[in-house]
Amino acid sequence: MKRVSEKALRKEIIATALSMSRSGLTAARSGNVSCRFKDGMLITPSGKRYEETEPEDIVFVAANGSVPRGQGKPSSEWHFHLTAYHARPDRSAVVHTHSTHATVLACAHKSIPAFHYMVAVAGGKDIPCVPYATFGTEELARHVAAGLKDRDACLMANHGQIALGRSLTYALELAIEVEVLAEQYYKLLSTGTEHLLSDAEMRKVVEKFKDYGKNTELDQADN
């Protein structure tokens, strides 16, 4: 993530959360957004409407999970945000949503397989679904860390989706892409037919995305 001031990052988190909500990825106060900052992260506060959130409401959480005095409560999901940063030091932003189709698949405990080459945008041959655990717990954080070990996105059973990025912009774009893929796969399931790409083909596509990522993380292979 490029170096910007703390105030600018706080404003960008709010703008990202508002975009997440207005794009239909999440409803009301659900979902949350964070970015890496100093030895920890900045994250949206718990239970506050994004439209009413001010830069000073964004909460700093240190690497050890502590919150300095004088701040509000961080999002209840701060555990898996922080664990995601520990698991993926190469990523600097996290977007978590309850987007409709990704959540439907998550509630069915279904990963998104290689039905389309764009699945590789998350870094592998599929977008996994990690096991269920109560929201806001360290157990869920461990599941998420495992799911994101070599992926930039995963589904969480009976919950929603999480996407990583080198910046807030790219994390949000990936969350949007995951929802599009989830909707496409959901509709494909209704046909009763799947023709999945091979692991070998997906490895080739993943490598191609690495090249495109030199300019932008979400360059389309069709561009």
Side-chain angles (χ1 to χ4, degrees):
M1 183 178 288
K2 63 183 179 181
R3 290 184 178 276
V4 295
S5 70
E6 179 178 351
K7 186 173 183 179
L9 281 176
R10 289 170 176 266
K11 288 181 175 180
E12 190 176 356
I13 288 172
I14 296 170
T16 302
L18 286 168
S19 294
M20 176 181 71
S21 180
R22 291 166 181 168
S23 67
L25 284 181
T26 196
R29 306 178 193 194
S30 64
N32 28 73
V33 176
S34 72
C35 70
R36 193 186 294 275
F37 182 69
K38 294 184 177 178
D39 71 332
M41 65 181 180
L42 294 168
I43 189 168
T44 46
S46 177
K48 196 171 185 68
R49 290 173 55 85
Y50 301 132
E51 291 82 359
E52 299 170 353
T53 302
E54 299 293 337
E56 58 268 24
D57 296 322
I58 300 301
V59 183
F60 173 71
V61 180
N64 64 1
S66 65
V67 177
R69 288 184 179 181
Q71 297 193 106
K73 290 178 61 177
S75 165
S76 59
E77 302 292 13
W78 68 265
H79 288 91
F80 72 59
H81 282 255
L82 196 61
T83 302
Y85 292 125
H86 291 163
R88 293 294 303 277
D90 58 331
R91 294 293 180 260
S92 297
V94 173
V95 169
H96 162 55
T97 87
H98 298 168
S99 58
T100 300
H101 295 87
T103 301
V104 167
L105 294 180
C107 290
H109 293 202
K110 285 187 175 293
S111 299
I112 303 177
F115 77 99
H116 191 288
Y117 74 88
M118 280 299 295
V119 168
V121 76
K125 67 178 183 179
D126 63 1
I127 298 173
C129 180
V130 302
Y132 175 78
T134 306
F135 78 93
T137 62
E138 292 184 12
E139 181 184 6
L140 178 58
R142 289 193 294 271
H143 292 327
V144 168
L148 296 176
K149 183 178 179 181
D150 56 4
R151 297 287 191 279
D152 284 341
C154 70
L155 308 184
M156 295 176 286
N158 305 93
H159 193 148
Q161 62 142 310
I162 180 172
L164 306 180
R166 293 189 179 96
S167 71
L168 288 160
T169 297
Y170 292 135
L172 179 60
E173 288 184 5
L174 181 56
I176 292 170
E177 187 64 52
V178 170
E179 174 58 17
V180 169
L181 289 164
E183 181 176 6
Q184 291 171 343
Y185 184 55
Y186 172 81
K187 291 179 177 179
L188 176 63
L189 289 174
S190 70
T191 70
T193 303
E194 294 182 37
H195 299 286
L196 302 183
L197 298 173
S198 68
D199 289 355
E201 176 60 20
M202 290 302 286
R203 283 194 292 270
K204 288 194 294 184
V205 178
V206 168
E207 286 303 311
K208 281 181 171 288
F209 273 118
K210 288 180 181 178
D211 289 338
Y212 288 115
K214 291 178 181 177
N215 297 314
T216 176
E217 287 184 33
L218 290 177
D219 269 313
Q220 303 282 321
D222 292 334
N223 286 351

